[in-house]
Structure formats: structure tokens, C-alpha cells
Amino acid sequence: MNRAGAEGSVSVVLSIDAAGNLTKCLVTASSGNASLDAMTCRLVQRRGRFTIQTDADGKPQPYSYALSKTWSLASK
């Protein structure tokens, strides 16, 4: 898959479980390039670190997080 010269903005919503693990990555606004969209979720899955969120009683809670990324991959 050749991504050289690809560019665009991707928006995703991430679902994080009560233990702070990514459980879902949903593309909400595509870059128009399926490779960039998929790469965004793959990178977040591999490198993302999420804080455990708690309720008023200190009990861990799942949550969602919105993220946007603009890509510009140089041609070789």
C-alpha cells in the first residue's frame, strides 16, 4: 500500500473502557483516503495511552474521546 503523497484530515471517536483500554475507534469524518483513515485507528491503537476516568465516588468509568488528525505524507 503506497501512502506517499497522501494527505487529509481524519476525525475519530475513541471508546475507552473502565480499565483505560481502547475498545473502539470509529471514523466520524473521513480524509477521503481509506488508508489514512485506517492508519489513524491503527496508530491510536498501538500508541495511545488513556487515563482512567472516575465518577464522583472514585469508581472507574468508560468514556469516549474525540480526536482529529491532519496527515501530509511526503512523496519519495
Side-chain angles (χ1 to χ4, degrees):
M1 171 175 12
N2 183 2
R3 294 186 202 108
E7 59 184 33
S9 294
V10 182
S11 294
V12 296
V13 172
L14 309 174
S15 296
I16 314 302
D17 68 13
N21 300 308
L22 176 68
T23 59
K24 186 175 183 181
C25 178
L26 176 67
V27 175
T28 56
S30 175
S31 65
N33 182 312
S35 293
L36 291 181
D37 296 349
M39 181 173 60
T40 301
C41 284
R42 278 194 309 274
L43 288 173
V44 169
Q45 193 169 27
R46 274 192 234 150
R47 298 181 180 169
R49 302 291 178 257
F50 305 97
T51 304
I52 295 173
Q53 302 293 310
T54 57
D55 64 13
D57 296 324
K59 197 171 162 189
Q61 298 294 308
Y63 65 99
S64 295
Y65 179 78
L67 173 73
S68 293
K69 173 67 180 163
T70 299
W71 296 101
S72 182
L73 304 177
S75 298
K76 291 184 178 183

